[in-house]
Every structure is written in C-alpha cells, then in structure tokens.
Amino acid sequence: MSRGLGKGINAFFPANVVDDKDTVQHIKIKDLRPNPYQPRKKFDDDTINELKTSIEQYGIIQPLIVRKSIKGYDIVAGERRYRAAIEAKLNEVPAVVKDFTDKQMMEVALIENLQREDLNPIDEALAYKKLMDELDITQEELAKKLGKSRPHITNHIRLLQLSQPLQSLIADGKLSMGHGRALLGLKNKKKLPALVDKIIKEQMNVRQLEQLIQKLNQNAARETSKKDKVSLNPELKQKISLLRERFGTSVAIKPVKNKDKGKIEIEYYSEDDLNRLIEILEGQHQR
C-alpha cells in the first residue's frame, strides 16, 4: 500500500498505519462517498478519462483506502480512482478499510494529493497551510516531513497573499506560479488589474514581468520621494532618523497635508523580525 501513496504518509503516521499486510476487500461503489476533507477543488476530466481507460484494460491496481461510516464507507484516499471507476461503470472497487480519525482522514487526503504532479500551485499551497495549521508545525518541519525544500513550501504559501481573483487565475493555469510571485513585489497594488490584463494579452513571460515591475516600482519610489520632499520638514526627518535607529529597520512618516496627523510605517522582513519589533514596542526587547 505504501508504494502508491509515497513516503510522505509514513512521515506523519506510524509505519503500520498503511501496511502491505492489510486485507483488500471489494466494496460496492454505491456504498462509497468522497472524503469530506478532500483538498482538491478540481478534477481534470481528461485525467479521469485516461484513468478510466486504464481501469477498463487492467482494473484498479492500487486499492482505495476507506473508513467505515454509518451509511457505508468514506474514501480516505483514492477519489480519482473512485470517479474513474464510476465512469468505467464498475459495480465495486478493491479497498483497504482503516480505522482513521477525522484528523487522520484529512492528513492522508492532503498528503496523497501533494504527491500528485497535476495539483495546481494554489491547491498545493492551501494543502501545505492546512497541514501546518492542523498539525501545529512550522514550514521547516513540514518541509522535512514531506521531503521538500523549505523555499518550495515558502514560495507556495506566499501565493496565498494574492487576492482571490489572482489565485483563481493561477489555479486555472492562466498565470504561472512565477507570475504570481512576481506580482507580490508590485508596490502600487492599484496597478494590478491593468498589469494582469497586460500579462495575459501579451503573453508575457516571468522575466519580462519582473523587469516591468522593477520599472513600475522605481517610478513609485520616485513619486514617493517627491512627496516626501514637499511634505517632510527637517524636524520630521530627524524623527524618522531616530525611529530607524531605534527599530533597526526602515521607517516612514507620512503626514496628512494641512493637518496635525499622519501615519508611521515600520517595515519588517520576516516573522522573527516582526516579533522583534513587537517586543521593542512593548518595551521587552533588550538592545
């Protein structure tokens, strides 16, 4: 059983949870229902049809993993095989019945899907985040368990900072993961809609997009600099210098014209950096 699911399963569960000695049963398709914790949002029709053709010729080689429920069986792993079996008009499928908890069902479904090459970047990112939240582990720990690099996990999760429409474009393959990562670096977010239209219309590659965003950010920086020269008096500039020295990071004071108010922006570059700044603000950090 472990061959189909990959080594990731055993990284999360004891080795005997998915065991080659498990008894394979034949369960009627009408008694099965999809895993309610299935992270995959879309099933490609072409892939299902290819699997259906394979099943018609060779049968289901890899049994499903299921859990007994009140009204039959919940599919823990193998929903694509289940869907393809329905298309192939099978009456029953081979399966191994396991006594999984709800949490284990979710984890197995996530891990199985993460080891599929056709999972889109957004679903992959959501699966990583779900595993981290449910297991209360860090990106570093998750990377080790799944046998992936830390940057691989980080780069996917960063995509979830994008707006929902942009995430949908990436999930649908209209934008690549590289496009998404580049768009995260655009400073003036108001330019995003027009920029995304330009990417799709002109079929821009990631390198071209990165170069364009660099130019847009440089223009934004110049515009900000001009505003600062007009609005910041020597006293405010001195206060900015003091704040930058105090916090050890970039600080900006943005006053409202003709008013005795404004806002202070303090940049941070990682979660650890943010925690450091919070400690300074709370008066707990020792310099």
Side-chain angles (χ1 to χ4, degrees):
M1 287 299 299
S2 59
R3 180 175 174 273
L5 294 177
K7 64 180 181 180
I9 291 291
N10 291 330
F12 286 82
F13 305 114
N16 62 353
V17 171
V18 182
D19 198 325
D20 290 328
K21 297 179 181 179
D22 285 325
T23 302
V24 177
Q25 304 179 28
H26 285 82
I27 296 175
K28 294 185 182 299
I29 284 183
K30 66 181 181 64
D31 292 333
L32 294 169
R33 77 179 186 105
N35 186 342
Y37 304 103
Q38 168 64 252
R40 185 182 293 268
K41 307 303 178 187
K42 298 179 181 179
F43 287 85
D44 183 72
D45 289 338
D46 291 338
T47 303
I48 296 296
N49 284 330
E50 288 175 7
L51 189 53
K52 167 198 166 187
T53 301
S54 174
I55 287 173
E56 288 174 338
Q57 291 181 359
Y58 307 107
I60 297 179
I61 299 173
Q62 182 74 39
L64 285 69
I65 299 178
V66 301
R67 178 183 73 168
K68 189 77 175 72
S69 64
I70 298 175
K71 295 183 179 180
Y73 298 87
D74 293 328
I75 298 172
V76 179
E79 186 167 339
R80 292 198 314 170
R81 279 163 279 163
Y82 162 73
R83 289 171 178 260
I86 292 176
E87 293 298 319
K89 302 189 185 306
L90 297 187
N91 293 320
E92 57 184 25
V93 295
V96 172
V97 182
K98 304 296 293 187
D99 186 22
F100 281 121
T101 64
D102 288 347
K103 184 175 181 179
Q104 286 176 317
M105 278 189 69
M106 179 207 70
E107 291 167 14
V108 172
L110 287 168
I111 297 164
E112 185 201 28
N113 275 288
L114 284 171
Q115 294 177 74
R116 301 289 185 188
E117 293 182 357
D118 63 339
L119 196 65
N120 73 65
I122 298 301
D123 279 352
E124 188 171 344
L126 290 169
Y128 289 147
K129 186 176 186 304
K130 185 75 171 175
L131 276 171
M132 288 169 58
D133 291 344
E134 291 294 331
L135 300 177
D136 192 23
I137 57 177
T138 65
Q139 291 183 21
E140 184 80 27
E141 291 168 331
L142 181 63
K144 288 179 180 178
K145 284 181 177 291
L146 292 176
K148 297 183 180 292
S149 70
R150 166 69 182 275
H152 178 89
I153 303 292
T154 300
N155 288 334
H156 277 79
I157 290 179
R158 285 186 66 218
L159 295 177
L160 301 181
Q161 297 174 25
L162 295 168
S163 66
Q164 196 60 52
L166 285 179
Q167 289 186 35
S168 295
L169 288 173
I170 294 173
D172 292 338
K174 295 177 180 177
L175 292 179
S176 72
M177 180 176 170
H179 287 125
R181 289 171 57 190
L183 289 171
L184 284 168
L186 182 66
K187 292 182 178 180
N188 188 347
K189 303 304 182 186
K190 292 180 181 179
K191 294 184 179 292
L192 266 175
L195 182 55
V196 170
D197 287 341
K198 183 179 179 68
I199 296 168
I200 295 174
K201 183 178 180 180
E202 299 181 12
Q203 296 184 327
M204 296 176 65
N205 62 37
V206 175
R207 181 58 183 157
Q208 291 171 328
L209 175 60
E210 289 173 342
Q211 292 174 339
L212 178 55
I213 288 177
Q214 186 176 9
K215 290 179 182 178
L216 291 172
N217 286 345
Q218 287 172 347
N219 291 338
R222 281 194 290 268
E223 291 172 5
T224 300
S225 178
K226 288 178 182 178
K227 291 179 182 178
D228 288 346
K229 288 179 181 178
V230 173
S231 58
L232 294 183
N233 58 44
E235 184 181 355
L236 278 179
K237 289 182 179 179
Q238 184 180 11
K239 290 177 179 177
I240 288 175
S241 180
L242 290 171
L243 287 171
R244 285 176 178 170
E245 183 178 348
R246 171 66 175 132
F247 291 110
T249 188
S250 177
V251 177
I253 294 179
K254 298 185 177 181
V256 177
K257 287 185 178 180
N258 303 321
K259 292 185 179 180
D260 294 328
K261 68 176 185 177
K263 62 181 179 180
I264 299 175
E265 294 183 351
I266 305 173
E267 288 192 8
Y268 65 92
Y269 303 97
S270 67
E271 186 174 349
D272 289 339
D273 198 28
L274 174 60
N275 290 332
R276 178 184 68 83
L277 292 170
I278 290 173
E279 288 177 357
I280 292 175
L281 290 169
E282 292 177 341
Q284 298 174 1
H285 192 75
Q286 300 296 320
R287 293 182 62 86

